[in-house]
Amino acid sequence: MIRWTVPAVATALAATALTVTITTPAGATPPNIPSKATAQSELNALTVATEGSLSGYSRDLFPHWSTVSGSCNTRETVLKRDGQNVVQDSSCAAVSGSWFSPYDGATWTNAADVDIDHIVPLAEAWRSGANSWTTSKRQQFANDLTRPQLIAVTDNVNQSKGDQDPASWQPSVSSYRCTYAKMWIRSKYYWGLRAQSAEKSALQSMVNTCSS
């Protein structure tokens, strides 16, 4: 029988605590990210076409941050979903917590430093077919919590992405590009949006880096 001395127990507990401390922070976790095989199938199915114009586009045509439940809207719902130890006040605003941005590897403890990124940007969707949708359908797209279309990330990284597709913008954390591509593909596939040739080529290169 092993007899544990007090110092030995303390050492074991310290080692356990150290193990917890050095684990990689949990990142944002949008739902229904497809496997590599499914993403490849969906990528193959995308209609390739020249990108349309932004004529007539306005973010107001994509009503976003709709009420989800009670006083909580889409932004606040994603902040809660993607953060760690998030505390919300009576109006559902996040007053504390932490958010790990998988795009750039940064962690934030102030919700004001975090944006909710539309994986497929609203303007990109407009140029890819959403210009012909009803406002109601555009609202569903802009608040899609069922597909991996929304994610909490560093605000200025989201702003630098703007409305670019993967042919001209990808996360600086290269190991996340596989996941990013799979999310982009799933959103475009589900919503029936087109892809331009350079965009599809970039997505294919990103999917090729996926292990599963």
Side-chain angles (χ1 to χ4, degrees):
M1 181 176 69
I2 298 174
R3 296 184 180 278
W4 288 88
T5 63
V6 172
V9 172
T11 300
L13 290 174
T16 301
L18 178 60
T19 300
V20 172
T21 302
I22 63 176
T23 51
T24 303
T29 52
N32 296 317
I33 299 173
S35 66
K36 177 181 181 178
T38 300
Q40 183 64 66
S41 176
E42 292 176 354
L43 177 60
N44 294 343
L46 294 183
T47 298
V48 177
T50 302
E51 198 165 71
S53 78
L54 270 181
S55 177
Y57 168 75
S58 168
R59 285 180 65 85
D60 293 340
L61 295 173
F62 292 80
H64 48 289
W65 309 159
S66 301
T67 299
V68 174
S69 177
S71 59
C72 298
N73 65 23
T74 309
R75 171 182 163 81
E76 292 148 351
T77 300
V78 177
L79 283 174
K80 178 73 170 179
R81 182 197 72 191
D82 290 356
Q84 296 290 312
N85 303 315
V86 177
V87 175
Q88 297 170 307
D89 63 18
S90 58
S91 65
C92 207
V95 294
S96 64
S98 66
W99 293 268
F100 175 75
S101 169
Y103 287 2
D104 58 335
T107 298
W108 304 97
T109 56
N110 184 346
D113 293 320
V114 179
D115 275 359
I116 307 305
D117 179 37
H118 289 95
I119 298 292
V120 175
L122 305 183
E124 165 66 18
W126 179 271
R127 293 189 297 257
S128 303
N131 60 317
S132 65
W133 294 352
T134 63
T135 300
S136 176
K137 185 173 181 179
R138 287 191 288 262
Q139 181 173 9
Q140 292 172 43
F141 171 79
N143 296 277
D144 188 0
L145 292 166
T146 304
R147 265 68 49 182
Q149 166 60 7
L150 299 169
I151 188 170
V153 297
T154 302
D155 56 359
N156 61 0
V157 171
N158 179 48
Q159 291 152 24
S160 70
K161 170 186 169 180
D163 64 354
Q164 299 177 83
D165 69 33
S168 53
W169 189 93
Q170 297 177 17
S172 60
V173 176
S174 58
S175 60
Y176 195 71
R177 291 174 186 170
C178 161
T179 301
Y180 184 77
K182 292 192 293 185
M183 294 191 294
W184 182 285
I185 291 165
R186 169 54 56 88
S187 190
K188 279 221 162 176
Y189 175 80
Y190 177 84
W191 289 99
L193 295 170
R194 302 183 297 269
Q196 58 177 329
S197 180
E199 171 192 349
K200 186 173 182 179
S201 294
L203 288 166
Q204 184 63 69
S205 295
M206 295 163 80
V207 168
N208 289 344
T209 69
C210 299
S211 59
S212 60

